[in-house]
Amino acid sequence: KQWYQRRVAITAGIIMLAHCLYTFEDPFGAVSHAVKFLKPHGKILIFHEGESVCSELYTYMINRSDPNIFNSSLTHGDHTLTATKIESYIRDTHPELLATVTYGSCYYD
């Protein structure tokens, strides 16, 4: 009945990180940690914003605001983190992974 003391090796064929990397203190470390749980030839599917207005607006506001009122430590996540930055990190740090990026767009009238 001491199941909680037993360590079980958990591996996955696919791990999905959907719009959550903004919230990690170390998003790149979170990706590297997730890689440890992949089965051989496993996949990580990451949904994340690309180079978009969100990151541009966030950067604009951070650079022009009173830091006592609005700064990166007061916000919930790092909205300057983009898919391009994540892709570069994966290619540099995990060359064993095949990194493929697909960009999509959504427009509202």
Side-chain angles (χ1 to χ4, degrees), residues 43-57:
K43 311 283 187 230
I44 294 182
L45 180 60
I46 299 174
F47 291 95
H48 196 84
E49 70 182 38
E51 299 292 335
S52 69
V53 172
C54 292
S55 62
E56 291 174 22
L57 179 59

Side-chain angles (χ1 to χ4, degrees), residues 61-75:
M61 291 177 64
I62 289 291
N63 290 337
R64 289 168 179 78
S65 295
D66 178 342
N68 295 314
I69 297 171
F70 184 77
N71 66 62
S72 60
S73 67
L74 297 175
T75 59

Side-chain angles (χ1 to χ4, degrees), residues 77-89:
D78 181 359
H79 296 283
T80 64
L81 181 65
T82 61
T84 303
K85 292 176 184 177
I86 297 167
E87 176 191 8
S88 294
Y89 172 79

Side-chain angles (χ1 to χ4, degrees), residues 11-13 35-43 97:
T11 58
V35 167
K36 295 176 186 177
F37 293 96
L38 284 177
K39 290 181 179 180
H41 308 293
K43 311 283 187 230
L97 297 178

